Amino acid sequence: MNLSHFHIATLLFGTLACTAADTAIVDRYGQYTREEWPGKITSDGQLRADASREWEKLSSLAPDSARFDRYGGRRDGKVYRATGFFRLEKIDGRWWFITPEGNRFFLQGVDAVSWRENGYNTPLLNSGGSPRKEFSELPDRTLFPEAYHTPGKVNFLAANLKRKYGQDFDRKFRDIARRRLQAWGFNSTAKWGWGETIGLPYIEDSHAGAVNRIGKNYRAIDMYDPDFARKVEPAVKAVCDHRRSDPMLIAYSMENENGWSEELVGLILKEPASCFAKAAFLDFLTRKRNGDFTRVAALFGFPGADRTELLNTELDITPIPSTEVQEFINLSSQRYHRILRELFRKHDPDHLFMGAAHCPKQSIDWYEGATRHVDFLGFNIYGLSLGWVERDMDRLLKADTPFAVLEYAFVTESRGYRAYSGNNTVRTQTDRGTGFRIFTEQAALNPLCLGFGYFIYWDQPVSRRSLPNGESHNFGLVSQCDQPYYEMLEGVKAANAKLFDLHDGKGTPFVIAVPRSILGSQKSRALTELFLPGTQSENVVYDPSNPHYFNGETARLKVDENCVKKSGVYPAGILNSGDGQRFTGFNLTVYLWQKAIDQNPANHFMVEESHDGERYTPVDLKAVPGSRSEFNAWKLTPAQSLKRGTSYLRISFKIRQVNQSWAAQIGRIKVEKQP
């Protein structure tokens, strides 16, 4: 093609992986070596000076006992039934925790307030067993044995705390953390304490122990094992024996994000005959057909097969009506949570039971089933709104089971930290505080909302919490050098001062004109900079996760599965060729999840052309397959030449399965122009 003034605009993205020639990414304090910022630690003396300055402010602070009871409950003239333990009560149409002294309590907590939390460690060795070269200097094992409390890992945070507070740092950090949290308006340590407390109310985490798990998804438990109750009881008894008499305990949690989805039920059908859940599902399908197993065998395409044959066959979920899959998930959740609830009541009848926290990958039928046997639900939500929970709010309101959001966060892509998602990665530390305000103040208005647990207290390690692709995010209110993010905390404190009253129906929440305007990073802005402002659907976000699935591309566009409510067309944006120019071609790199039923890119993406930006006509697409991975790559180009006057291109997603909107993503965008 011979074009005058030929122009190609391209968005290219690399990864943050180290090369052999450029390996040391963290210094002796665990800080990123390739970026500078105000207050970056350069000496142990600087850490100790920080501690002295902060203690001058914190040492004189004390809880306002005239306004709050010892548990953080509000003394507002109304005292409710006191039982000596936390309980729940619906008051004037709104759900509340009631403290052991009988006062209303709105959960305002922070997760993982312990340096021993495994997520604060980073591996010492590569996946193949060789020493990692990312570290410029490791903590001395003799001086800082605490930094190596987990075999095979190093904890820079522990070493920094010891440098900062001295030999007695483990006791001092608890005092500092409690004072900080109270000064910032928090009243609990929420979850992920794993048995450690700092003198504030908390939710106790526990693990089910040696129970049957389903497939490679170690979180999914086979509750149809006839020995499930016997196998899980030792874990329940152990945690109850430890916490039974503690009035600071709010509730018991067991497992995390272990709920079922239709995808998991599909996995169950491919399990061997030893999977009890598979047998239970076949029995359920038989009951739905009035006990006629021949109809079940025919449904799977094996007419005449008996139960044993189907149990020993990998089956496909596709022929099963979705309503039946959803019903089975609901019944399975009821069974699971009923067994756990009975065990916790047996060993501790006084404290609340929450079960596991839930995430958007689980079916609503799972946590709707849980509502029958838990005191309240726990949700993990990463975004500016309740998102996927709001989508199902009608069903939750009908069940009238309250909930707490026990993981939410806002991060920046700076100081070596990676973006988390397009829903919660923001530009600055101040924007992190703004995101905190938007999310919590709006959600507090919900009559079912019991409060929040922010994820997490300290940042994760820059060098990842696990390999090869473990998390490495600026989640913390405090850095791994134990430095609070004061710019963010201004917004945090402003929100925390209002949340109780907002839930009580008083005051108005913080708002900004376009909440999503705070989202983004350098990479996401590069991804969308060719698009005309305001032409992108509010449901389209960028996705930086799992670049190893996408040829290393660290930012793509997708339709947000947490918020989208219906199928349809969602514009990624409109490109304009500029004055005196026109488009002559384009090349889009797109990705499709390898397990998506429909592997035709034309059914997932659409490109339209226009000469005036008003009237658009679809462009026939040519799809050329590229690399094959968890997400298969395709190159989309025009099947025929674009019209001569094409000055606008509108690129859109075509979503048919709402719960799999993430399965189609857009990566690199190239356009060709000429006068």
Side-chain angles (χ1 to χ4, degrees):
M1 185 180 294
N2 184 16
L3 300 176
S4 59
H5 305 287
F6 183 79
H7 174 72
I8 298 179
T10 309
L11 307 182
L12 300 174
F13 302 92
T15 69
L16 292 176
C18 300
T19 65
D22 192 12
T23 55
I25 63 168
V26 294
D27 63 16
R28 68 191 300 260
Y29 300 102
Q31 300 169 117
Y32 192 52
T33 57
R34 301 170 190 174
E35 185 178 339
E36 298 299 321
W37 57 85
K40 187 175 184 180
I41 296 299
T42 58
S43 70
D44 294 3
Q46 188 179 349
L47 283 170
R48 292 190 291 269
D50 280 354
S52 296
R53 283 192 297 270
E54 187 177 18
W55 183 247
E56 290 180 3
K57 300 176 182 178
L58 294 177
S59 60
S60 60
L61 297 179
D64 185 351
S65 59
R67 191 180 182 198
F68 301 101
D69 67 21
R70 66 183 291 251
Y71 304 96
R74 181 76 72 88
R75 298 185 189 274
D76 59 358
K78 296 180 180 179
V79 179
Y80 300 87
R81 180 171 58 90
T83 64
F85 299 96
F86 276 90
R87 64 179 185 86
L88 293 170
E89 186 169 338
K90 191 175 185 180
I91 302 168
D92 297 330
R94 297 179 175 89
W95 280 99
W96 296 91
F97 287 113
I98 303 297
T99 69
E101 293 184 9
N103 297 302
R104 288 182 299 168
F105 177 94
F106 191 75
L107 181 71
Q108 297 171 211
V110 178
D111 300 332
V113 188
S114 169
W115 57 268
R116 292 183 179 86
E117 157 64 36
N118 188 51
Y120 296 138
N121 297 316
T122 188
L124 286 164
L125 303 178
N126 291 307
S127 300
S130 61
R132 297 179 71 188
K133 298 181 179 180
E134 285 88 344
F135 312 122
S136 61
E137 180 182 342
L138 290 170
D140 184 282
R141 286 181 177 270
T142 302
L143 296 176
F144 303 104
E146 300 87 351
Y148 300 93
H149 68 95
T150 300
K153 296 187 176 183
V154 61
N155 189 313
F156 285 97
L157 170 62
N160 290 333
L161 291 174
K162 192 169 187 178
R163 292 178 176 116
K164 187 171 184 177
Y165 300 115
Q167 290 293 330
D168 196 20
F169 80 94
D170 191 48
R171 179 186 64 81
K172 290 181 180 178
F173 104 83
R174 296 169 190 268
D175 186 26
I176 294 292
R178 185 183 67 257
R179 290 171 183 268
R180 279 176 175 170
L181 293 183
Q182 290 176 327
W184 301 338
F186 293 104
N187 57 22
S188 81
T189 54
K191 67 173 186 173
W192 299 134
W194 293 114
E196 294 199 43
T197 62
I198 63 170
L200 295 176
Y202 61 96
I203 293 171
E204 181 75 344
D205 307 289
S206 54
H207 192 270
V211 296
N212 283 28
R213 306 276 174 171
I214 296 170
K216 296 180 180 179
N217 185 344
Y218 69 94
R219 292 179 179 175
I221 292 173
D222 190 345
M223 76 292 294
Y224 289 100
D225 178 356
D227 285 335
F228 171 57
R230 180 186 61 81
K231 290 177 179 177
V232 77
E233 185 167 11
V236 174
K237 182 178 184 301
V239 69
C240 290
D241 286 349
H242 185 49
R243 296 301 188 192
R244 186 183 298 115
S245 61
D246 190 352
M248 284 287 179
L249 172 63
I250 298 172
Y252 292 108
S253 170
M254 176 159 277
E255 301 284 317
N256 181 61
E257 297 184 348
N258 69 335
W260 287 17
S261 63
E262 292 191 35
E263 181 182 348
L264 182 75
V265 176
L267 174 63
I268 288 172
L269 285 174
K270 297 186 182 301
E271 287 286 278
S274 57
C275 177
F276 295 103
K278 183 176 184 178
F281 192 26
L282 292 180
D283 292 342
F284 164 79
L285 294 174
T286 304
R287 291 194 301 273
K288 297 295 290 184
R289 286 153 184 79
N290 298 317
D292 187 353
F293 187 80
T294 61
R295 293 173 59 192
V296 176
L299 178 70
F300 286 110
F302 296 95
D306 61 21
R307 185 173 182 274
T308 300
E309 288 177 283
L310 286 194
L311 281 174
N312 285 286
T313 302
E314 291 191 6
L315 302 173
D316 188 352
I317 194 175
T318 305
I320 304 174
S322 182
T323 54
E324 293 187 4
V325 177
Q326 293 163 4
E327 182 180 351
F328 181 66
I329 291 173
N330 191 299
L331 292 172
S332 301
S333 179
Q334 290 184 46
R335 177 186 179 95
Y336 172 75
H337 289 95
R338 174 181 55 78
I339 292 171
L340 288 181
R341 178 60 181 263
E342 289 172 353
L343 289 173
F344 273 100
R345 279 181 170 167
K346 174 182 176 180
H347 293 285
D348 183 355
D350 296 317
H351 282 105
L352 299 170
F353 171 61
M354 187 194 85
H358 307 285
C359 66
K361 293 183 179 179
Q362 300 167 192
S363 168
I364 181 177
D365 302 282
W366 175 266
Y367 57 84
E368 187 176 61
T371 63
R372 299 170 184 262
H373 300 288
V374 300
D375 292 301
F376 66 98
L377 295 165
F379 291 129
N380 298 341
I381 304 172
Y382 290 88
L384 287 168
S385 70
L386 291 176
W388 58 276
V389 173
E390 189 68 40
R391 182 184 61 201
D392 302 323
M393 190 55 63
D394 288 346
R395 293 172 71 174
L396 292 177
L397 288 169
K398 183 178 180 180
D400 198 28
T401 301
F403 67 85
V405 180
L406 296 178
E407 286 187 23
Y408 68 102
F410 296 92
V411 309
T412 62
E413 192 176 31
S414 62
R415 303 188 185 187
Y417 290 109
R418 296 159 174 83
Y420 182 69
S421 79
N423 298 310
N424 77 334
T425 301
V426 297
R427 297 165 299 178
T428 67
Q429 291 296 326
T430 299
D431 287 336
R432 293 181 69 203
T434 300
F436 187 103
R437 294 200 68 180
I438 293 170
F439 178 79
T440 59
E441 294 189 31
Q442 291 289 336
L445 302 177
N446 192 296
L448 299 180
C449 184
L450 294 166
F452 312 97
Y454 181 81
F455 187 87
I456 46 182
Y457 184 62
W458 283 293
D459 284 332
Q460 294 172 327
V462 172
S463 47
R464 297 188 183 272
R465 68 179 188 180
S466 62
L467 294 177
N469 300 300
E471 292 182 357
S472 173
H473 303 299
N474 172 216
F475 283 132
L477 301 174
V478 186
S479 76
Q480 282 235 327
C481 285
D482 198 51
Q483 296 172 301
Y485 290 105
Y486 289 112
E487 304 98 316
M488 176 192 185
L489 288 167
E490 289 303 309
V492 169
K493 291 188 291 185
N496 281 341
K498 295 173 59 178
L499 294 180
F500 184 100
D501 288 336
L502 287 171
H503 188 61
D504 199 23
K506 302 171 184 174
T508 57
F510 173 78
V511 295
I512 61 175
V514 184
R516 297 183 72 88
S517 65
I518 69 170
L519 299 177
S521 67
Q522 182 177 352
K523 290 177 182 176
S524 69
R525 287 194 294 274
L527 184 61
T528 59
E529 66 181 359
L530 292 182
F531 292 135
L532 294 174
T535 62
Q536 186 173 344
S537 167
E538 65 177 8
N539 297 104
V540 172
V541 298
Y542 86 101
D543 181 9
S545 64
N546 299 316
H548 53 292
Y549 292 157
F550 303 90
N551 294 331
E553 290 195 48
T554 57
R556 291 93 44 200
L557 294 177
K558 68 174 182 177
V559 174
D560 182 6
E561 69 274 13
N562 296 324
C563 298
V564 65
K565 298 181 180 180
K566 60 183 180 180
S567 59
V569 176
Y570 294 87
I574 295 176
L575 306 174
N576 177 227
S577 60
D579 293 340
Q581 296 191 90
R582 63 185 179 90
F583 290 115
T584 57
F586 59 80
N587 185 321
L588 307 182
T589 300
V590 299
Y591 298 91
L592 285 178
W593 183 42
Q594 65 170 355
K595 296 180 182 179
I597 296 174
D598 187 345
Q599 286 294 315
N600 182 358
N603 293 330
H604 296 273
F605 305 95
M606 180 168 65
V607 179
E608 300 165 282
E609 60 183 330
S610 171
H611 72 280
D612 59 3
E614 299 290 337
R615 292 165 291 181
Y616 285 87
T617 57
V619 176
D620 290 334
L621 298 175
K622 177 183 177 182
V624 178
S627 63
R628 292 296 180 257
S629 179
E630 188 75 13
F631 282 75
N632 295 327
W634 295 82
K635 297 289 186 182
L636 299 184
T637 59
Q640 292 89 31
S641 299
L642 296 179
K643 296 176 182 177
R644 183 161 183 81
T646 296
S647 298
Y648 297 87
L649 291 174
R650 182 163 62 194
I651 302 172
S652 302
F653 293 92
K654 296 160 66 175
I655 301 300
R656 295 183 178 181
Q657 289 183 270
V658 171
N659 63 343
Q660 289 186 5
S661 63
W662 46 266
Q665 302 203 12
I666 297 173
R668 304 182 187 188
I669 302 172
K670 298 181 181 180
V671 293
E672 299 166 2
K673 306 177 187 179
Q674 74 171 22

